[in-house]
Amino acid sequence: MSRMLGVAALCGVGAFCLGGCDPLNSHSLDACVPAPICDSNDYKFTSLDGVTANTKYLGDASKSNWVSSGTPELHDDAVLLTLSEAGESSSGTLLASTSYVWYGKVSAQMKSSRGQGVVSAFILMSDVKDEIDFEFVGTDLRTAQSNFYFQGITNYDNGENLTVKSSTFEDYHTYEIDWSPTQLTWSVDGATQRTVKRSDTWNTTTNRYHYPQTPSRVMLSLWPAGSPKNGEGTIAWAGGLVNWNAQDPATVGYYYAQVKDVSVECYPTPDGANKKGSKAYIYTAKSGTNDSVAITNDDTVLKSLLGTGTDMDADYPKEPKKPKASASGTAETAAATSEIATVPGLTGAGPGTNGHPGNDGNDGNMGATGETAGDPGSGVSTGDEPSSTGIGGFSQGNIAQAANEAASPKEKGLQSSLFAALMAVLGLLVL
C-alpha cells in the first residue's frame, strides 16, 4: 500500500516542480525540473550532512543525497525516521533520494518501527507513479510486504508477503530490490523471495506492460496508516489506530524506524533509450512509459524556490529598501509580499516570512496550510482534512481514500501505497 509522503505533485513553483513532480498532469511536460541521473553509491548514515530539508533543496544532487520531510534524527550511526503525536513529524518522516534510478539494484539495511497503526516503507517511486515496495506493518514484525504498481494503477494481485527470519524491529535486515528492464526481484538478507517478469505483466485492456519502467527515487518513510483521518480499510490493514500510549512514544516521545545504509548500483542505460546527454532524465511524451524517457544534459538546479522547469532562473524580489520619511514625516513602506506556495504544506514564496527568505538563515515562521502537492492517486494526501507538518509539510495515507473511504482490509495494501505522502514531496518529495 505504500503511496508515501510527497510522492507526486503538480508543478506550480519551487519544490512542487522538483523531485516527485508529475509531468503527465502538470501544465506541460517541461514544467517539472529535469531529474538528476542515477548515481551508484553506498550511503551510510553516520551523519545527516547529506540530508537537506525540502524547504531548502533546489535540485543540486551533487550537494545533497537526500531530501527530507518531517524530522529525521541521528542515533548510533543510523538515521531515525520519526513519527510523533504532534509537531514536525506528526505525519511521519520521509527521505527521498536526490538522484533517480532507471533500473538497478537498491538495498536498505534497516529496522522497521513497531506498534499498531504504524507503517515503515522502503520503496522506489517514479514521477509518473511507477512503484516498487517493501512495507512493514508494525503489528507483524516477521513479515515484509512486497508490491508493485504501473502508473499508480491498482491491481489487487500485485502484493505478496515475504518472510523475515527474525524481528524487523529488533534486528537489522537487508532488503533488496533488483530491477531490470525484464525482471524484478525482492530479496531479504541475500535470499531472493519473489520474482516478477515483465513479460507476465501485459495488460490486454491498455495494450501495455503494467511493469515499473521509469526513473524512480529511493524513498524511506515512517507514517501513521492508523490515523483516524484514513479510511477504515487502511486502518485495519495497519493493525488499528495508532496508540500514542505505547512503549516507544511513551518513553522516547515518538515511534521510529532506523536506516543504517542504502546501496545503489545503477544498471546500464536500457537498449534503445533516447540518449542525448548524461546529466538528467526528462519525459518527451504523455505516455509516461520507458520509451518516453530521454537522457539529456539539461540543468537540474533552480535559482530559488520560485523557479519552475520552464523558468529555472526565477528568483525572489530584492528586499525592500528601508522606509523613507515622507514630507509629512510619516514613514512610507511599499514592501511587496507573495502568497505563492513553493513547498508542500507551506504558504508564501519560500522559507521566509511574507515570502522573503529569512534574514537569520532559518526557515522563517511560515504556517502549515494543510494543503498537499499530491493527487488522489498518489496517496500523498489521505484524509478528509489532510494534516501537515511544520517543516516540509506533508500528509500521508492510502491512495484512494476519497473514492473508497471504507476500503476493505484486502484493499488496504494498495490504497496506502504513499510514501509514502510519504507525498509530493512531498514531500518529497517534492519531495
Side-chain angles (χ1 to χ4, degrees):
M1 248 171 140
S2 163
R3 289 275 131 165
M4 294 182 27
L5 327 133
V7 189
L10 306 185
C11 179
V13 296
F16 290 92
C17 303
L18 290 167
C21 177
D22 181 355
L24 306 187
N25 292 301
S26 292
H27 55 83
S28 66
L29 288 172
D30 57 357
C32 296
V33 176
I37 201 167
C38 191
D39 177 31
S40 293
N41 215 324
D42 187 16
Y43 303 99
K44 297 186 183 299
F45 289 101
T46 55
S47 76
L48 297 181
D49 291 346
V51 178
T52 300
N54 67 350
T55 54
K56 297 179 180 295
Y57 179 68
L58 294 176
D60 191 344
S62 70
K63 294 182 178 179
S64 300
N65 299 322
W66 304 91
V67 179
S68 68
S69 299
T71 309
E73 302 282 357
L74 190 66
H75 174 72
D76 196 20
D77 288 337
V79 64
L80 300 185
L81 309 175
T82 64
L83 169 63
S84 58
E85 186 172 13
E88 294 177 350
S89 64
S90 60
S91 293
T93 296
L94 164 72
L95 294 183
S97 64
T98 56
S99 296
Y100 283 60
V101 179
W102 197 17
Y103 303 117
K105 185 181 294 184
V106 184
S107 66
Q109 185 181 9
M110 62 182 289
K111 295 180 180 180
S112 74
S113 190
R114 63 178 174 181
Q116 67 186 51
V118 177
V119 175
S120 314
F122 158 45
I123 76 172
L124 302 182
M125 171 75 83
S126 84
D127 294 347
V128 299
K129 298 189 287 294
D130 287 347
E131 182 177 345
I132 305 166
D133 299 347
F134 270 108
E135 289 186 290
F136 309 88
V137 175
T139 54
D140 184 0
L141 302 181
R142 298 294 293 271
T143 298
Q145 297 186 9
S146 68
N147 216 329
F148 70 97
Y149 299 84
F150 166 74
Q151 296 190 2
I153 297 171
T154 296
N155 184 327
Y156 294 100
D157 296 323
N158 285 359
E160 184 174 309
N161 287 346
L162 312 179
T163 300
V164 184
K165 291 184 177 180
S166 65
S167 170
T168 62
F169 174 80
E170 296 288 349
D171 302 319
Y172 277 107
H173 296 279
T174 299
Y175 305 95
E176 181 183 273
I177 295 169
D178 192 344
W179 176 38
S180 78
T182 59
Q183 183 173 282
L184 175 59
T185 64
W186 290 258
S187 299
V188 179
D189 294 329
T192 297
Q193 292 207 23
R194 183 185 184 191
T195 298
V196 171
K197 295 184 180 297
R198 175 178 179 268
S199 58
D200 294 332
T201 66
W202 181 257
N203 186 285
T204 56
T205 301
T206 63
N207 289 321
R208 290 179 174 180
Y209 289 102
H210 281 202
Y211 180 81
Q213 57 195 264
T214 49
S216 299
R217 293 182 296 166
V218 181
M219 294 185 172
L220 307 160
S221 73
L222 176 63
W223 61 286
S227 166
K229 297 179 181 179
N230 290 335
E232 293 180 4
T234 298
I235 295 171
W237 166 71
L241 294 171
V242 177
N243 177 11
W244 294 110
N245 295 314
Q247 179 179 344
D248 294 333
T251 56
V252 299
Y254 47 71
Y255 287 98
Y256 58 91
Q258 302 179 71
V259 183
K260 185 177 287 289
D261 179 87
V262 173
S263 176
V264 176
E265 177 187 345
C266 307
Y267 285 168
T269 302
D271 292 340
N274 183 3
K275 189 171 183 179
K276 304 175 182 178
S278 60
K279 291 177 55 177
Y281 301 116
I282 65 169
Y283 287 86
T284 62
K286 286 282 190 177
S287 63
T289 49
N290 58 350
D291 56 353
S292 71
V293 178
I295 301 176
T296 72
N297 285 326
D298 291 340
D299 194 8
T300 67
V301 184
L302 297 176
K303 186 173 183 179
S304 79
L305 285 176
L306 287 182
T308 71
T310 56
D311 188 2
M312 305 277 285
D313 293 327
D315 201 358
Y316 297 101
K318 293 182 179 180
E319 287 294 319
K321 295 180 180 180
K322 293 182 179 180
K324 294 181 179 180
S326 66
S328 63
T330 303
E332 295 179 346
T333 61
T337 61
S338 173
E339 290 301 323
I340 300 173
T342 62
V343 177
L346 303 181
T347 58
T353 304
N354 295 328
H356 296 292
N359 294 325
D360 59 0
N362 295 325
D363 286 348
N365 186 29
M366 303 183 66
T369 64
E371 76 179 286
T372 63
D375 60 87
S378 74
V380 171
S381 170
T382 61
D384 294 335
E385 294 295 334
S387 61
S388 60
T389 65
I391 90 170
F394 60 78
S395 300
Q396 344 178 51
N398 67 57
I399 57 176
Q401 178 179 342
N404 191 7
E405 185 67 24
S408 69
K410 179 180 179 181
E411 293 170 330
K412 49 67 176 171
L414 315 135
Q415 294 182 332
S416 84
S417 212
L418 135 290
F419 229 174
L422 275 162
M423 46 114 229
V425 81
L426 319 149
L428 327 74
L429 57 159
V430 173
L431 270 137

